[in-house]
């Protein structure tokens, strides 16, 4: 039997066991997916003996993603983002990647097929870890102008150094002007999440046919996404990204490229607090 797990501290609230468990059953895989709560000081030893713990691979979550990068052989994507969220053993080598890019891009492709042919200018709110995956994906898909808006402006400037000249650092005051010419808006900050301050952005000035994405999934329909829907824009939410980021790890570990299904999505939605 093949087994994988999510390693975090904490990890027991992770939705990954449910998500992968669904596919294990659907594709009748002789496999298992568990969670492992590992303290930061114990993480290197745990990884070194991943096979001994019974695993062929793992997802990595907070606070271990940067350390996982250091302790494995990362691909270009994980290196560019500076964090690894997926590990797999490949003939004794511990390799890693970052599938948050797949999650963001996969969800966007599903919500608005062909978006990349129409979007020349995008606005990304936030320049943290999630923002890095978003911007990497947009650069890879050839979006010509990517305006990165961040409270701490210097971090947006660092994005240009990291991801190249298609990235344009910007400030929150610039947002209404930038939105007027943009075909895509992405919130990669924690604003609008349950328990966090609200995100007060009106997508109204965006071009007809625009797409709005939010990494937040509690609540599932953020204020931003509700406003975007009202304007007739296509939307992509954080839960879709969570589902799509799991596709490649599952394929790497269990050899089947799984399909994200409505039934699986409903199963996760049932777990999200409604108020
Ligand atoms: P993650 O890995 O989830 O992206 P992170 O790296 O801590 O988390 O990044 C959080 C992002 O949300 C950052 O862009 C942060 O802005 P700063 O770089 O200025 O901290 C943004 N963010 C969080 N709280 C915010 C707030 N109250 N107002 C504006 N931006 C906020």
């Amino acid at each position: 039997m093949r087994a994988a797990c999510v390693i975090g501290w904490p990890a027991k609230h992770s939705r990954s066991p449910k998500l992968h468990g669904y596919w294990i059953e659907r594709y009748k895989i002789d496999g298992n997916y568990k969670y492992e709560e590992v303290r930061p000081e114990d993480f290197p030893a745990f990884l070194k003996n991943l096979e001994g713990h019974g695993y062929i691979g793992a997802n990595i979550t907070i606070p271990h993603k940067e350390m996982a990068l250091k302790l494995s052989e990362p691909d270009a994507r994980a290196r560019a983002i500076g964090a690894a969220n997926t590990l797999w053993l490949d003939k004794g080598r511990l390799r890693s990647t970052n599938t948050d890019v797949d999650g963001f891009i996969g969800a966007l492709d599903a919500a608005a097929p062909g978006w990349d042919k129409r979007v020349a200018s995008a606005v990304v709110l936030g320049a943290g870890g999630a923002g890095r995956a978003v911007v990497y994906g947009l650069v890879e898909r050839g979006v010509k102008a990517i305006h990165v808006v961040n409270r701490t402006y210097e971090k947006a400037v660092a994005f240009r150094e990291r991801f190249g000249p298609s990235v344009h650092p910007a400030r929150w005051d610039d947002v209404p002007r930038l939105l007027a010419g943009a075909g895509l808006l992405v919130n990669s900050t924690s604003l609008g999440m349950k328990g966090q301050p609200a995100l007060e952005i009106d997508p109204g000035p965006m071009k007809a046919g625009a797409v709005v994405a939010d990494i937040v999934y509690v609540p599932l329909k953020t204020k931003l996404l509700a406003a975007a829907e009202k304007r007739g824009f296509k939307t992509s939410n954080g839960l879709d990204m969570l589902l799509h980021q799991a596709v490649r790890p599952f394929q790497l570990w269990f050899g089947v490229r799984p399909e994200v299904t409505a039934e699986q999505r409903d199963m996760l939605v049932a777990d999200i607090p409604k108020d």
Side-chain angles (χ1 to χ4, degrees), residues 73-206:
E73 293 180 37
D75 66 1
R77 201 171 258 201
R79 267 201 308 274
I81 293 166
N85 77 337
T86 300
L87 300 174
W88 73 103
L89 283 165
D90 179 14
K91 299 181 193 87
R93 289 161 60 200
L94 185 61
R95 298 178 60 192
S96 67
T97 186
N98 189 309
T99 67
D100 288 337
V101 182
D102 307 62
F104 168 64
I105 294 292
L108 211 50
D109 282 343
W115 64 272
D116 49 343
K117 287 174 200 74
R118 298 187 295 271
V119 172
S121 174
V123 176
V124 178
L125 308 174
R132 284 211 280 272
V134 166
V135 170
Y136 186 92
L138 296 181
V139 170
E140 200 175 64
R141 280 299 183 90
V143 175
K144 288 201 179 65
I146 304 161
H147 302 280
V148 176
V149 178
N150 202 47
R151 174 178 61 180
T152 314
Y153 182 71
E154 295 69 33
K155 278 165 76 179
V157 174
F159 264 43
R160 186 180 171 94
E161 283 147 28
R162 191 182 264 264
F163 297 111
S166 57
V167 173
H168 303 281
R171 301 175 198 276
W172 282 92
D173 293 350
D174 300 326
V175 171
R177 176 181 61 81
L178 293 172
L179 284 183
L184 172 67
L185 168 64
V186 185
N187 174 40
S188 81
T189 74
S190 46
L191 296 174
M193 191 186 292
K194 193 173 186 243
Q196 298 292 318
L199 174 61
E200 303 292 353
I201 295 277
D202 173 17
M206 293 182 80

Side-chain angles (χ1 to χ4, degrees), residues 242-255:
L242 180 74
L243 287 159
H244 284 273
Q245 66 74 33
V247 170
R248 184 141 184 267
F250 191 89
Q251 183 177 15
L252 285 165
W253 305 322
F254 301 118

